[in-house]
Each structure stands twice: as structure tokens, then as C-alpha cells.
Amino acid sequence: METETTHADKYNDPRARITRRGVLIGIAVVVLGVIGAYFSITGRRTKIEKSTAFWGQETITALQLGERFEIIPIDGERKEPINLTAMPGLGLLRQALLEDRNYQWDTQGNRPLSERIADSETKERIRFRLTDPNGKRFEKVELDLDLDSGWIAAGDGSKSVRINAHTRPKLKNFLSTVMHAEQKRYDFRE
């Protein structure tokens, strides 16, 4: 058996030198990494300033922290609530409803959803119901959404705004898929 020998020449190589240039390159890499991380975090952060001003703090809290998230079809053949609490994609749905960039803020007003879509031929409306039975951080919050036109309003009809053309088809596709799929409670999944 060979005995273990140390090679001092590997650790004390005279050709490897730490120079001022090497130190500056190392510092530059660290600084660029910190700057890149800062811009990545600020660029991807959900902006909710306009949404908070429009919906109010209670609705924003419900969208962020709501323990129970349900969809209730208003104009469809299905009338029972659909529980989205543990549904894949719920986080993206919450973000889509929170993000300032997903709304056309020049369309906001105090008209109820029924007036906004009165001339629409097809009316596929749903209601989001958000509750927090255990935490009790907010009262029940309801939002009505017309999937075809993209109008979303407070459940009491006090204010409404339109979702932008980029987000509207994605939201409609996700919600239509969820509503037409057979629901299986997350408690009973195998």
C-alpha cells in the first residue's frame, strides 16, 4: 500500500500570484452580482400601488392572504362553488388579480358590472369569493368578472375596471378550464 504523501509544491506554487488586477476583477464581479440581483428583484416584484388605491386594503389583503378562494359561476349551467384553495396555478391567479400592469386604469369607474356588459351578447360571468375563516384578517370579499369582455367589479357593484387585452385571454382560459373540469377535493387526492 502506498502511503499518503503531501505535496507542498501544489499549495505553494510560485507562479500563482494575487495581484491588484485580480482583486479588482473579483470585486467587480461581486458588485455586478449585487446590482444584477437588485434589478432582478425590483423588476419582478408585483406592483400593487394602483390596485390598492382602487380595490382598497381589505380586498388586496384578501387576494394576497385569503385562506379560502372559490369561484361561483353566475351565468353558467353549473351553480355550485368551485374551491380553488389548493388548485395548481392559484398563486398565478392571485398575482394576475393584484398586478397593476394587468388592468386598463383609464376604464375604471363606479358603474356595476351588469351596466358595463349590458350590450354584450354572451355573458359568462363568475364571482370570486375570498374568505379567511381561521385567520379572520378580513371580512368576505367578492369580485365579479365577465370572462368575455374582461370587466371585473366589486361584488356590491360599487366600482369596476377592465383587465387588459394581454391578460384577458390567459385568465379566461385558466378559469374556463377550472370551471369545466371535474373537481376533486384536495383532501381526497391520492
Side-chain angles (χ1 to χ4, degrees):
M1 264 184 128
E2 292 183 29
T3 60
E4 184 177 322
T5 58
T6 58
H7 297 283
D9 58 329
K10 288 186 177 181
Y11 301 108
N12 296 323
D13 190 354
R15 295 175 289 174
R17 294 200 175 114
I18 298 175
T19 63
R20 176 181 281 192
R21 181 175 173 231
V23 170
L24 291 176
I25 289 173
I27 291 172
V29 167
V30 169
V31 168
L32 285 175
V34 169
I35 291 171
Y38 171 78
F39 284 115
S40 174
I41 290 168
T42 57
R44 294 174 29 160
R45 187 177 53 147
T46 302
K47 294 173 181 34
I48 59 169
E49 289 82 22
K50 291 180 183 177
S51 298
T52 304
F54 182 75
W55 292 118
Q57 189 59 46
E58 183 170 313
T59 303
I60 295 299
T61 302
L63 287 170
Q64 289 175 331
L65 304 174
E67 187 177 317
R68 192 162 172 84
F69 200 114
E70 297 176 319
I71 295 178
I72 303 165
I74 297 173
D75 297 329
E77 64 278 350
R78 187 175 186 167
K79 294 294 182 188
E80 68 272 359
I82 301 165
N83 187 5
L84 297 181
T85 302
M87 177 88 44
L90 179 60
L92 295 173
L93 175 63
R94 289 178 191 264
Q95 184 177 3
L97 296 173
L98 285 168
E99 181 71 52
D100 288 347
R101 294 175 279 198
N102 293 335
Y103 294 101
Q104 294 174 340
W105 292 110
D106 57 338
T107 63
Q108 68 182 339
N110 296 332
R111 294 173 50 201
L113 187 63
S114 57
E115 288 181 23
R116 295 272 193 183
I117 62 168
D119 57 345
S120 177
E121 293 176 13
T122 59
K123 295 177 182 159
E124 190 174 1
R125 292 184 303 156
I126 61 169
R127 173 168 286 161
F128 295 115
R129 181 184 298 154
L130 297 109
T131 55
D132 194 29
N134 294 326
K136 295 180 178 40
R137 294 170 282 215
F138 56 88
E139 296 296 319
K140 176 176 71 172
V141 171
E142 293 183 339
L143 301 173
D144 293 344
L145 171 67
D146 181 62
L147 292 174
D148 293 322
S149 64
W151 285 101
I152 187 167
D156 61 1
S158 61
K159 53 190 157 195
S160 58
V161 68
R162 195 168 196 182
I163 296 173
N164 69 21
H166 178 74
T167 306
R168 198 176 315 143
K170 295 174 185 177
L171 201 57
K172 180 180 179 178
N173 184 32
F174 174 75
L175 293 171
S176 295
T177 302
V178 167
M179 288 188 321
H180 296 101
E182 285 296 320
Q183 183 180 8
K184 188 171 186 180
R185 292 204 37 176
Y186 65 95
D187 300 351
F188 302 116
R189 289 185 189 170
E190 293 182 26

